[in-house]
Amino acid sequence: MPPTTPYAGKFSSCSVYNNNNHHPQPQSPYHSNTAPKPSREHIHNGVYPAAENPYDVPQPHHSYRSSSLSSMTSKEHHYSSSCVVSENPYSPQHQPHSPRQHSTSCPGRAHRHSSHGEHSCRNNSASVKSRLYGQGITASYGEMCYHDNSLVSASLEALIQHLVPTVDYYPDRSYVFTFLLSSRLFLHPYELMTRVCHLCVEQQRSGDVLLDKIRFREVAPKLVQLLTEWTETFPYDFRDERMMRCLKDMTQHVARGDEYSWRAMQQMTQRLIKRLSALGQYEEAVAALNAVAEERPTSLKNKQAAVQRSDILSVCDDAFILAQQLTHVELDRLSFIGPEEFIQTFALKDPMENHKGFFRKRKTSNLEAYISWFNRLSFLVATEICMPAKKKQRARIIEFFIDVAQECFNIGNFNSLMAIITGMNMNPVSRLKKTWSKVNTDKFEILEHQMDPSSNFSNYRTALRGATQRSETAHSSQEKIVIPFFSLLIKDIYFLNEGCASRLPNGHINFEKLWELAKQVSEFLVWRQVICPFDRDRRVLQYLVTTPVLTEDELHLASFESEGPENNMEKDSRRSLRSSLLHRENRS
């Protein structure tokens, strides 16, 4: 049977980061070029919970992060890039190849004969049907269809059976990741685990108790390996009590047949509990910090009192240090996002889903909290700019955030970069014309050009590819940092899911779609596993995640307080805002 996956051989473990080579920061790409400004508003839907801060809880840099999918080639995007800023440190010298352009070297797969529960390599099996299809070859093995040695479709039952290890078979790691990731579109993780464990045990039964024990002892290490990959790559699945019960039952079953595998199961369970405990501590810290961040700032009715509020420059006046601390926040938050959260965003839409309660509970909480952090940072930037009473101070803060955004770009922190640009483009900030007249906007316009949404963010995607290439050949941890514009990553995955059917007309699962989803998510896992090399500044971090920020209405009113209305429409808006906010304060 042909290879299961187009990624065979692409899943070697991550190399250890070399912290002894301290290469200089990339040079700034900025010249005096100017470019059209992009659209002003990118604030995301405010339905997400308040952002969180994991700074005083154990960080989840566990083995599963370094062992899974680290060297998968990133998905190639084909976009035109007619205008790229010169001396961009991320400009790639050559385009990477798609994984599908590489020939696979994985050995032939054993065809599964479900009636016997055994596997054999029968290249001339009658169940195998091949035909030419264009310039490639399409082959069918039972209920599994391949094209050019890549699995493209299969029945759900065949995919589940293909996941089950036997004495002489273990599925590709790429297949394990891909199916465990996307199977939740079709059945609950608990159902999948129950069926896999049941099949693994039942297919060893022969009617002879002694022979059954010997056969299970031989397959037990591979079953433990599969469960280890599951618990380390998708640990959040085991917040479901039924998953933990199933894991406990299998541990007891393994203990009856193989002491070595039983000890491995115990160690695996201990690592899982430690990981889930760290997540619980993280969420408790988030709740405490959210309570602080939700406190309302100084009343805007008294502008002089508002001036006494600490601003960002009093906490940190070095743009590079602030960019480093923002990178800490980003990587800390990324590290707690489970890969399954990208897929569970769509899971409830599937009519086959029968366990909606599980997906509602903590379905995408870490992913949503990360987007909430983006929104918070945008509003924090706008708050810092609108609060000062003096025009000179406002201009100084604008220039400072431009420098911070530039440093974020050089580091490879595109999410903070976009959040800063978004905050500075919010209407309460952009209308401060007198303030902006005191600011040199050349660098800001170049940064906007880099993140221009036209042509599907082609300039940003070019920079991201370059940053990814730099990361792959990096000699230091700092050069490994790639933090994508996260909401665009989610948008790409969303449209990939919506644009391709999950099932084909014959009822088969469209596995080509699952490969594509896995490629995008696996690239995220590589970015997520980088440990931030910068020193932590607790005071700056605390300010970033806990200082209160103004709401949209409060920002507009603060903007009017800084620079008065220019027309009757703005005068009416200010009068309405004052009345509305005063009414809210009286009610509270």
Side-chain angles (χ1 to χ4, degrees):
M1 182 176 284
T4 304
T5 166
Y7 311 134
K10 298 293 182 184
F11 290 78
S12 59
S13 297
C14 284
S15 58
V16 178
Y17 303 140
N18 185 353
N19 292 319
N20 297 324
N21 298 326
H22 299 287
H23 289 249
Q25 275 288 99
Q27 295 299 312
S28 171
Y30 311 111
H31 282 294
S32 58
N33 309 53
T34 59
K37 290 188 177 182
S39 58
R40 290 280 179 184
E41 296 296 335
H42 296 288
I43 289 292
H44 305 292
N45 198 333
V47 298
Y48 303 111
E52 68 282 11
N53 172 20
Y55 300 119
D56 294 313
V57 298
Q59 296 307 305
H61 300 296
H62 293 288
S63 59
Y64 82 94
R65 295 177 58 200
S66 62
S67 64
S68 60
L69 312 171
S70 59
S71 57
M72 176 182 281
T73 306
S74 61
K75 179 175 179 175
E76 182 61 79
H77 299 273
H78 301 283
Y79 300 96
S80 61
S81 181
S82 58
C83 47
V84 180
V85 178
S86 60
E87 296 185 17
N88 184 341
Y90 302 127
S91 296
Q93 300 300 317
H94 56 84
Q95 299 300 327
H97 294 288
S98 168
R100 291 188 181 275
Q101 296 173 347
H102 295 275
S103 61
T104 57
S105 57
C106 182
R109 286 281 169 242
H111 179 58
R112 295 176 174 274
H113 299 278
S114 58
S115 60
H116 302 289
E118 297 291 335
H119 313 279
S120 60
C121 294
R122 301 182 180 180
N123 295 330
N124 297 321
S125 171
S127 64
V128 178
K129 300 179 181 179
S130 301
R131 65 179 186 277
L132 291 176
Y133 186 80
Q135 297 182 349
I137 298 177
T138 297
S140 296
Y141 297 81
E143 294 186 331
M144 304 185 73
C145 298
Y146 294 80
H147 180 66
D148 286 345
N149 294 340
S150 175
L151 177 62
V152 295
S153 71
S155 67
L156 181 59
E157 292 299 325
L159 292 174
I160 295 173
Q161 181 67 54
H162 200 58
L163 186 66
V164 179
T166 65
V167 173
D168 56 359
Y169 166 80
Y170 189 82
D172 285 345
R173 293 192 63 202
S174 53
Y175 176 79
V176 172
F177 174 77
T178 300
F179 190 56
L180 290 182
L181 174 70
S182 297
S183 61
R184 62 199 71 233
L185 289 171
F186 311 103
L187 75 169
H188 191 280
Y190 166 71
E191 294 178 279
L192 177 62
M193 185 175 180
T194 301
R195 293 171 69 173
V196 167
C197 292
H198 175 74
L199 285 170
C200 189
V201 172
E202 289 300 316
Q203 67 188 8
Q204 308 307 321
R205 296 190 186 279
S206 63
D208 186 313
V209 176
L210 181 60
L211 179 61
D212 290 352
K213 186 175 181 180
I214 295 174
R215 287 159 62 96
F216 185 77
R217 183 184 299 125
E218 292 176 343
V219 78
K222 293 186 178 180
L223 176 61
V224 173
Q225 181 182 348
L226 177 64
L227 294 176
T228 298
E229 290 191 41
W230 195 332
T231 58
E232 293 185 344
T233 310
F234 302 96
Y236 297 171
D237 284 349
F238 293 84
R239 300 191 85 169
D240 184 349
E241 293 180 358
R242 295 173 298 175
M243 294 283 286
M244 291 301 291
R245 283 200 301 270
C246 185
L247 189 63
K248 182 179 179 180
D249 291 343
M250 285 310 303
T251 301
Q252 294 174 348
H253 192 87
V254 168
R256 293 194 292 267
D258 181 30
E259 182 178 357
Y260 176 81
S261 297
W262 172 68
R263 293 186 182 278
M265 287 282 286
Q266 284 187 314
Q267 294 172 359
M268 174 192 68
T269 303
Q270 290 173 359
R271 291 193 301 270
L272 174 62
I273 293 173
K274 183 178 179 180
R275 168 63 174 167
L276 296 180
S277 176
L279 177 62
Q281 294 178 43
Y282 170 82
E283 292 175 340
E284 290 176 3
V286 167
L289 290 167
N290 284 346
V292 176
E294 290 172 1
E295 295 178 359
R296 303 313 307 143
T298 306
S299 173
L300 293 175
K301 294 186 295 182
N302 186 342
K303 191 68 176 179
Q304 296 300 321
V307 174
Q308 298 175 4
R309 170 185 176 272
S310 297
D311 63 19
I312 188 65
L313 292 176
S314 67
V315 177
C316 179
D317 60 359
D318 187 315
F320 184 50
I321 291 178
L322 185 60
Q324 291 178 334
Q325 302 313 304
L326 287 171
T327 302
H328 267 296
V329 178
E330 299 282 353
L331 290 175
D332 286 342
R333 280 166 167 68
L334 283 177
S335 68
F336 280 96
I337 298 175
E340 72 282 354
E341 294 190 48
F342 293 97
I343 305 303
Q344 287 176 178
T345 303
F346 321 121
L348 284 176
K349 296 182 179 180
D350 196 289
M352 296 182 63
E353 177 55 56
N354 297 319
H355 300 276
K356 297 183 179 180
F358 169 79
F359 286 118
R360 279 199 299 265
K361 180 181 179 182
R362 308 182 188 279
K363 180 184 68 170
T364 57
S365 58
N366 297 303
L367 185 147
E368 292 173 357
Y370 186 62
I371 295 178
S372 181
W373 154 250
F374 179 99
N375 291 341
R376 172 181 167 76
L377 180 55
S378 297
F379 274 87
L380 176 61
V381 170
T383 299
E384 294 291 335
I385 295 172
C386 290
M387 287 299 288
K390 294 183 178 180
K391 175 173 58 180
K392 182 178 180 180
Q393 179 68 1
R394 293 195 298 272
R396 185 186 173 199
I397 292 178
I398 289 176
E399 291 177 341
F400 175 71
F401 274 118
I402 292 173
D403 291 339
V404 174
Q406 176 180 335
E407 296 296 348
C408 286
F409 179 79
N410 290 340
I411 290 172
N413 182 355
F414 297 104
N415 201 57
S416 290
L417 166 63
M418 191 60 181
I420 293 171
I421 292 176
T422 300
M424 297 176 74
N425 276 325
M426 292 177 67
N427 184 260
V429 177
S430 63
R431 66 167 297 277
L432 300 175
K433 296 179 181 178
K434 295 178 182 178
T435 302
W436 280 97
S437 67
K438 301 295 182 181
V439 177
N440 184 339
T441 61
D442 288 346
K443 288 193 294 185
F444 182 60
E445 289 171 350
I446 293 173
L447 288 168
E448 286 187 307
H449 176 74
Q450 283 292 331
M451 305 303 291
D452 190 338
S454 63
S455 301
N456 195 15
F457 287 88
S458 61
N459 293 341
Y460 157 72
R461 293 182 191 275
T462 299
L464 181 64
R465 286 196 297 270
T468 301
Q469 287 185 336
R470 183 185 71 175
S471 177
E472 292 170 352
T473 59
H475 299 287
S476 67
S477 295
Q478 181 172 327
E479 291 178 341
K480 288 182 175 289
I481 296 173
V482 181
I483 303 173
F485 174 28
F486 195 70
S487 292
L488 185 60
L489 173 63
I490 294 175
K491 176 185 173 184
D492 289 343
I493 295 175
Y494 172 81
F495 281 110
L496 173 60
N497 180 72
E498 292 296 308
C500 301
S502 297
R503 288 186 180 270
L504 301 178
N506 64 356
H508 277 197
I509 303 298
N510 181 3
F511 213 82
E512 285 187 298
K513 171 182 175 178
L514 271 55
W515 286 133
E516 295 299 323
L517 289 171
K519 279 201 295 183
Q520 297 231 10
V521 175
S522 64
E523 188 173 46
F524 159 79
L525 293 183
V526 175
W527 296 331
R528 185 189 70 170
Q529 71 186 4
V530 175
I531 300 175
C532 190
F534 307 122
D535 293 334
R536 289 177 181 267
D537 188 319
R538 297 283 175 175
R539 182 167 177 248
V540 177
L541 291 171
Q542 190 75 6
Y543 186 87
L544 288 173
V545 299
T546 63
T547 190
V549 298
L550 301 178
T551 65
E552 189 170 1
D553 286 347
E554 290 169 340
L555 279 173
H556 278 97
L557 188 54
S559 178
F560 289 137
E561 294 286 342
S562 297
E563 294 185 16
E566 296 182 348
N567 51 54
N568 290 332
M569 182 178 296
E570 288 191 345
K571 290 179 181 178
D572 291 341
S573 178
R574 181 175 66 174
R575 188 181 306 112
S576 176
L577 286 170
R578 281 178 171 173
S579 176
S580 176
L581 291 175
L582 181 61
H583 180 65
R584 292 177 195 172
E585 288 181 3
N586 291 335
R587 284 196 307 174
S588 61

